[in-house]
Amino acid sequence: MNTTGKTKKELLDELEKIRLELQGFLERSDSHLSKLQKEYLEETIFINVSEGILITDSMCRIINVNPGFTHITGYTPQEVIGRKPSILKSNKHDQQFYNKMFLEIDQNGKWQGEIWNRRKNGEIYPQWLTIVPLGANRSGFLGIFTDITRYINKDIKIKNPAYYDPLTSLPNRHLLHDRLSFMVSHAKRNKKLMSVLLLDINRFKVINDTLGFGAGDLLLQTMSNRLQSCLRDVDTIFRLGNDEFAIILEEIAQPQDASRVAKRILAVCALPLQFSDHELYVTSSIGISIFPTDGEDMETLLKNAEAAMNRAKEMGINNYQHYKPAMNAKAFEQLTLEHNLRKALKNNELMVYYQPQLDLATEKIIGAEALLRWKHPDLGMISPAQFIPIAEESGLILPIGEWVLRTACKQAKTWLDTQNKKIVISVNLSARQFQQQDLVSTVNKVLQETGLPPRYLELEITESLGMKNPELTLRTLRELKSMGMHISIDDFGTGYSSLSYLKRFPIDTLKVDRSFVMDIQTDANDAAIVLAIIALAHSLKLKVIAEGVESREQSQFLLEHGCEMVQGFLFSPPVTPEEFEKLIAKK
Ligand code: C2E
Ligand code: MG
Ligand code: MG
């Protein structure tokens, strides 16, 4: 932006001048101006001004934007032409705001004011916008705006965005650094304990991706209000970015005080949240570090609270953890893990284990879930929960996933041929694999190579994966389904499925997530969720498999309520192919 150095008043005057010039140009351009004059004006005004300009037709569809628009919003002309300006909305304003805007355009022939919009990268920012109708017969609208982020200061009642997060009005990371180092030296001088809590909302990205920025923003604002309701006046909350918050508890008497606050926060943040017709259940993870035991300076306290937060995430939903020195060693391990994983495939360190899936009524083994195992020469068995995320991030999941698919299909074909056992083999697909253009042809190739009839293959996808791009999912699933294989939705109940899509997806089975099955006997809510999933599945003519069944009571409950299939330690953990053969030979 070349507005540097101007005052806000100068900027607004300039903007008004450009607006008048441009409006005049557009109104006259059809009749009075020569071609040369038009070209000149178009070049000087439309192309060269740093302000953003957009022109719509009478239906409010964008027909042209200038380079200034692209510079400010991040959208190229190709991305916006034909769409409505509402794609720029930040959701900071309600419908009434827009109604008033259009009323004013109708009555006064113009609207001018400050509005918060969203850039393509998701950032929301303030702009000074002028909208005028074009031509006497309103053949369209002209919008001209400038980014006024740098002009926003106390005199327009908004906190300085360099130090405050515009969405929640909470102080940001910069201010945290300033304040925390000050608080640490204060605590040092007065020989007091203090605590840093880092909070991360679990699976925030899923909510943003599936329900949109509006839901994400609402969630963050609600979280910010809920956090404030849990704390004393002397405690400070910061929004560090995305879905991360920091809380500083000054002057605590003992470390357990921080645990108490963490528990309270987790309970309040887990309350359901209404977003249009969705009820969102979110969980968070909190890491705690205490001054001076876990660090005597700001950097160490933050680093250690983060290590504790990562540990809390691993421990499961709605968890908090105090920092322990072993946690940093763990982070280092993660780094070397990726390096090792690259070698694992080549060195035959990966294996596939099989967990039996049983028909609940007859307890006969009818299927097996293929579960990846990594036997590291020095570190021993590494859990997929630990290395699959690394494989996803690094892209290694693609060759690894294809290897699992091929190994599992080959195995099922062997059982079919040598023992005449019709085992349907379930293979987990990661999001990254599912987004590959050539997924269908890869699966086809593997089936051809191994000779496994497609009806003996089931692919497991997760809810969130399917909802990310429902139309694409629908297309891919239809293709896979038409080849004859089965599709199941894994970890069902933990994501945010839209029922209307679920109905359209050509799926066969819902897999009830282990976390619900686990407490079926003790938690009435979990029992109710399982029953609801069974009822939902049956009404959509889908089968249900419960995973993580560990006790007779659980399996009895599931049987009584119409669940068709089970898998879990009660029957067998995942085992080697040799052990699996023994299991099927018995039945
Ligand atoms: P998942 O697909 O939901 O698999 C079920 C997990 O629950 C397995 O963990 C299994 O060992 C465990 N489990 C089964 N029954 C019980 C039980 O009764 N009690 C308990 N406590 N656990 C039980 P595992 O093998 O550690 O795999 C974890 C996750 O890693 C899987 O969850 C899946 O999401 C992922 N994964 C495993 N193999 C692959 C793979 O080949 N590709 C991809 N993309 N992901 C995989
Ligand atoms: Mg699975
Ligand atoms: Mg699962």
Side-chain angles (χ1 to χ4, degrees):
M1 271 155 279
N2 62 3
T3 45
T4 324
K6 289 177 198 156
T7 65
K8 188 175 168 199
K9 165 110 187 40
E10 280 167 348
L11 176 91
L12 298 183
D13 287 348
E14 197 169 300
L15 197 61
E16 183 64 6
K17 232 168 66 200
I18 295 171
R19 182 188 72 74
L20 289 171
E21 223 171 316
L22 190 66
Q23 188 183 8
F25 157 65
L26 287 160
E27 279 169 4
R28 291 185 307 268
S29 56
D30 280 341
S31 47
H32 305 300
L33 294 176
S34 73
K35 189 164 174 284
L36 210 67
Q37 280 171 313
K38 264 195 261 177
E39 276 171 9
Y40 168 75
L41 273 173
E42 189 168 322
E43 210 162 286
T44 50
I45 299 174
F46 200 74
I47 309 288
N48 287 329
V49 294
S50 56
E51 284 68 25
I53 299 175
L54 84 141
I55 300 173
T56 74
D57 62 13
S58 59
M59 305 293 291
C60 248
R61 275 185 307 251
I62 300 175
I63 52 176
N64 205 359
V65 296
N66 74 336
F69 174 96
T70 302
H71 183 68
I72 296 173
T73 65
Y75 288 104
T76 62
Q78 292 81 349
E79 287 170 320
V80 293
I81 287 176
R83 304 191 61 183
K84 302 235 165 155
S86 56
I87 63 160
L88 305 171
K89 261 189 180 177
S90 67
N91 292 319
K92 251 182 112 64
H93 308 286
D94 55 13
Q95 194 50 42
Q96 221 181 352
F97 175 91
Y98 295 98
N99 294 344
K100 244 176 95 188
M101 172 193 271
F102 282 105
L103 192 71
E104 218 169 289
I105 297 173
D106 261 352
Q107 289 174 348
N108 307 339
K110 163 175 141 182
W111 182 87
Q112 194 166 51
E114 188 183 305
I115 182 168
W116 288 71
N117 271 344
R118 187 186 296 281
R119 298 188 223 273
K120 188 180 168 189
N121 66 9
E123 182 195 345
I124 61 172
Y125 67 104
Q127 49 172 242
W128 186 262
L129 170 69
T130 305
I131 305 176
V132 288
L134 290 175
N137 54 356
R138 309 221 153 168
S139 55
F141 295 91
L142 163 74
I144 170 162
F145 58 89
T146 195
D147 181 345
I148 54 168
T149 308
R150 50 183 295 117
Y151 298 95
I152 295 288
N153 51 35
K154 279 183 241 86
D155 64 42
I156 39 177
K157 289 197 294 282
I158 292 168
K159 289 172 175 168
N160 185 345
Y163 289 106
Y164 289 88
D165 164 45
L167 183 71
T168 58
S169 300
L170 290 178
N172 66 13
R173 191 180 283 276
H174 291 295
L175 214 51
L176 169 73
H177 288 183
D178 280 7
R179 295 247 178 109
L180 188 54
S181 46
F182 172 77
M183 289 171 180
V184 167
S185 47
H186 181 78
K188 220 177 249 175
R189 242 189 342 267
N190 298 304
K191 301 203 167 27
K192 299 270 189 204
L193 289 182
M194 63 176 273
S195 175
V196 177
L197 275 64
L198 281 190
L199 175 144
D200 191 278
I201 304 174
N202 297 325
R203 296 158 9 93
F204 175 71
K205 198 173 166 325
V206 179
I207 298 176
N208 239 349
D209 287 351
T210 51
L211 300 178
F213 286 130
D217 286 355
L218 178 76
L219 174 61
L220 291 169
Q221 282 161 336
T222 309
M223 279 294 181
S224 143
N225 295 338
R226 288 180 177 179
L227 285 174
Q228 293 178 58
S229 73
C230 294
L231 298 173
R232 308 167 298 178
D233 281 349
V234 290
D235 305 324
T236 328
I237 313 168
F238 302 81
R239 179 172 172 218
L240 304 189
N242 243 354
D243 54 349
E244 221 180 68
F245 295 87
I247 298 128
I248 301 181
L249 307 178
E250 274 196 281
E251 301 200 4
I252 52 169
Q254 50 194 356
Q256 291 88 314
D257 292 346
S259 322
R260 256 197 298 279
V261 175
K263 262 191 220 157
R264 201 160 62 222
I265 292 176
L266 290 174
V268 171
C269 291
L271 295 171
L273 165 75
Q274 196 66 34
F275 176 74
S276 57
D277 52 351
H278 296 268
E279 195 154 74
L280 300 181
Y281 289 86
V282 288
T283 59
S284 318
S285 305
I286 297 180
I288 305 174
S289 64
I290 308 278
F291 170 88
T293 36
D294 302 332
E296 295 196 25
D297 56 57
M298 175 193 79
E299 285 87 5
T300 316
L301 284 168
L302 284 175
K303 190 179 87 195
N304 291 346
E306 187 168 353
M309 186 185 75
N310 290 333
R311 179 71 188 135
K313 273 195 175 274
E314 282 170 22
M315 299 288 289
I317 55 175
N318 259 7
N319 198 291
Y320 71 88
Q321 290 290 314
H322 278 267
Y323 171 72
K324 291 190 195 74
M327 289 172 180
N328 269 327
K330 207 156 186 307
F332 179 71
E333 253 173 44
Q334 292 281 105
L335 272 180
T336 51
L337 219 52
E338 182 185 333
H339 173 71
N340 279 306
L341 188 55
R342 286 187 188 278
K343 291 197 298 195
L345 190 59
K346 214 170 62 212
N347 296 349
N348 290 328
E349 290 164 18
L350 298 182
M351 291 178 293
V352 178
Y353 273 35
Y354 299 89
Q355 185 175 36
Q357 297 179 323
L358 289 83
D359 176 284
L360 187 48
T362 61
E363 297 204 353
K364 256 180 70 127
I365 298 176
I366 51 171
E369 177 169 9
L371 291 158
L372 186 55
R373 295 289 175 267
W374 178 10
K375 195 164 183 200
H376 189 281
D378 308 320
L379 303 172
M381 274 295 188
I382 304 176
S383 150
Q386 217 178 334
F387 71 83
I388 295 275
I390 297 174
E392 287 247 359
E393 255 168 54
S394 59
L396 280 170
I397 193 69
L398 298 178
I400 292 178
E402 188 174 332
W403 177 82
V404 172
L405 182 70
R406 182 170 288 108
T407 309
C409 288
K410 218 189 283 172
Q411 187 61 70
K413 170 75 168 143
T414 308
W415 287 329
L416 189 65
D417 289 349
T418 61
Q419 316 206 6
N420 195 24
K421 293 287 182 193
K422 299 185 171 76
I423 298 296
V424 175
I425 204 94
S426 292
V427 177
N428 292 284
L429 279 191
S430 86
R432 190 93 177 235
Q433 280 172 286
F434 200 76
Q435 282 151 7
Q436 289 299 300
Q437 292 291 331
D438 59 356
L439 173 72
V440 176
S441 65
T442 304
V443 174
N444 206 4
K445 188 179 75 186
V446 170
L447 286 172
Q448 299 275 332
E449 279 172 19
T450 57
L452 181 71
R455 62 178 180 284
Y456 296 118
L457 175 62
E458 177 158 300
L459 296 174
E460 294 191 5
I461 65 165
T462 58
E463 272 181 285
S464 45
L465 177 159
M467 293 304 149
K468 229 175 225 171
N469 186 344
E471 292 305 325
L472 176 75
T473 304
L474 191 59
R475 229 176 313 133
T476 312
L477 290 184
R478 280 192 180 141
E479 276 185 72
L480 292 169
K481 191 78 191 138
S482 70
M483 287 159 59
M485 65 201 78
H486 310 272
I487 311 282
S488 66
I489 305 270
D490 203 358
D491 306 335
F492 191 78
T494 60
Y496 298 92
S497 290
S498 148
L499 288 185
S500 56
Y501 278 113
L502 203 59
K503 207 171 88 190
R504 288 171 66 201
F505 286 164
I507 46 183
D508 304 276
T509 313
L510 296 185
K511 291 193 81 171
V512 183
D513 191 62
R514 186 162 68 84
S515 59
F516 302 119
V517 176
M518 203 158 64
D519 295 327
I520 229 173
Q521 297 299 116
T522 50
D523 186 330
N525 287 335
D526 283 353
I529 290 170
V530 172
L531 296 187
I533 294 175
I534 296 175
L536 168 72
H538 289 167
S539 73
L540 295 173
K541 306 216 167 16
L542 307 176
K543 294 216 160 97
V544 185
I545 177 163
E547 55 181 15
V549 176
E550 294 184 354
S551 71
R552 266 289 149 207
E553 291 73 28
Q554 291 165 346
S555 100
Q556 191 56 34
F557 178 95
L558 292 160
L559 179 66
E560 278 164 16
H561 292 93
C563 173
E564 285 90 0
M565 289 166 289
V566 275
Q567 113 185 43
F569 293 173
L570 173 64
F571 305 100
S572 167
V575 292
T576 61
E578 296 73 30
E579 285 168 290
F580 190 86
E581 267 163 40
K582 286 186 205 147
L583 291 174
I584 42 176
K586 267 196 263 168
K587 294 273 169 177

